[in-house]
Amino acid sequence: RCRTEYENRDEATKGDETTRKQFHAFVLFLAELYLNLEIKGTKGQVTRAEILQEGLRELLNALFSNPVDSNLICAVKLLKLTGSVLEDAWKEKGKNDMEEMIQRIENVVLDANCSRDVKHMLLKLVELRSSNWGRVHGTTPHAEATPENDPNYFMNEPTFYTSDGVPFTAADPDYQEKYQELLEREDLFPYYEENGADLSGPGELYFDEIDDEMDPEIEEAYEKFCLESEHKRKQ
């Protein structure tokens, strides 16, 4: 089934709204599969499925080859989900595939007739990648690091928040359950319309009315937080 969907990728990206929506769900399914499926090598080492790694690259190429808004949004979601892992895997092989992807994104921003909001999403993705996908570097090499020997092992993992605002990462024993709950409740683009209309919604009025000036007490606390964060970073 996956192979059939994959082989029809070029036609699917040019199909009607229903066809594209189904194809995008397939793309994100493969992305989740790539992140979670573990393959044991001949020497007992655990790796990800290389065939999915190559497949995701071709799916990205198909999405960027027909740069309508919905295809581009799917590409953004895919790269936010797997970009850091894909880039690491490609670099291990001496490939610069991610550089090529970023160049395609920049070309889309310059040339494609996609909406302003989608171009903004693409630029934010380029910015995320330039910051190494938001990761921080531990002192232990990634290949040798384990939760037991590296206290910074989970520092490269993103931080999520439950519906109650409680932060959690992959280090949390209930990570899978909490992450699934987050996926079920989160709508990344609640006011987006696929006809190219600008994002709009009740939130805009709220943001327009916000006073940019901080309360003096809040401002003082914020400056203290920034100083403490900088101090910890230097340590």
Side-chain angles (χ1 to χ4, degrees):
R1 168 71 182 276
C2 285
R3 184 170 65 181
T4 301
E5 296 274 4
Y6 174 77
E7 290 174 349
N8 292 333
R9 60 190 181 277
D10 293 324
E11 292 79 7
T13 59
K14 300 172 184 175
D16 58 24
E17 182 180 347
T18 302
T19 301
R20 277 185 280 121
K21 190 172 183 179
Q22 180 178 333
F23 175 69
H24 298 156
F26 161 71
V27 170
L28 295 177
F29 166 71
L30 281 196
E32 289 281 3
L33 192 62
Y34 177 63
L35 289 179
N36 292 289
L37 180 65
E38 294 183 343
I39 306 296
K40 286 190 177 181
T42 53
K43 298 180 180 179
Q45 75 277 24
V46 176
T47 62
R48 291 187 170 89
E50 188 169 322
I51 189 172
L52 292 177
Q53 175 195 126
E54 299 303 316
L56 290 175
R57 181 187 60 190
E58 293 307 314
L59 290 172
L60 280 166
N61 284 332
L63 291 166
F64 286 129
S65 294
N66 189 35
V68 298
D69 284 2
S70 61
N71 285 341
L72 294 174
I73 288 174
C74 180
V76 168
K77 289 180 179 180
L78 172 57
L79 284 171
K80 286 182 75 173
L81 191 63
T82 64
S84 60
V85 177
L86 284 173
E87 182 161 18
D88 288 347
W90 288 333
K91 280 183 176 179
E92 285 181 9
K93 296 180 177 180
K95 296 181 178 180
N96 62 347
D97 293 45
M98 189 56 70
E99 289 290 346
E100 295 175 8
M101 290 298 168
I102 296 300
Q103 185 60 57
R104 294 201 71 170
I105 291 173
E106 292 173 349
N107 291 340
V108 166
V109 172
L110 290 173
D111 302 327
N113 294 322
C114 57
S115 72
R116 181 189 62 188
D117 298 294
V118 171
K119 287 184 178 182
H120 180 69
M121 292 176 202
L122 291 167
L123 289 172
K124 294 299 288 184
L125 182 68
V126 173
E127 183 180 330
L128 177 65
R129 189 262 179 170
S130 68
S131 67
N132 193 28
W133 305 100
R135 298 182 292 185
V136 295
H137 294 285
T139 55
T140 309
H142 177 73
E144 300 175 8
T146 68
E148 290 73 28
N149 68 16
D150 185 359
N152 296 322
Y153 183 80
F154 288 109
M155 288 182 67
N156 285 343
E157 298 292 339
T159 299
F160 303 101
Y161 293 86
T162 66
S163 57
D164 299 325
V166 179
F168 69 94
T169 67
D172 194 300
D174 300 324
Y175 168 75
Q176 288 292 347
E177 180 181 338
K178 292 178 179 177
Y179 181 63
Q180 186 59 40
E181 179 191 343
L182 180 149
L183 290 178
E184 290 173 357
R185 77 168 193 268
E186 185 175 50
D187 183 359
L188 296 179
F189 307 101
Y191 304 118
Y192 177 76
E193 295 180 8
E194 290 199 358
N195 61 7
D198 288 342
L199 293 173
S200 61
E204 287 192 340
L205 180 61
Y206 171 78
F207 286 114
D208 289 342
E209 294 176 352
I210 289 180
D211 188 347
D212 289 335
E213 293 188 8
M214 289 184 183
D215 178 90
E217 186 176 343
I218 295 176
E219 186 171 4
E220 182 181 348
Y222 175 70
E223 290 178 356
K224 182 180 178 181
F225 167 78
C226 291
L227 289 171
E228 289 176 351
S229 298
E230 180 67 15
H231 179 66
K232 289 179 182 178
R233 187 185 67 79
K234 289 181 178 179
Q235 285 181 330

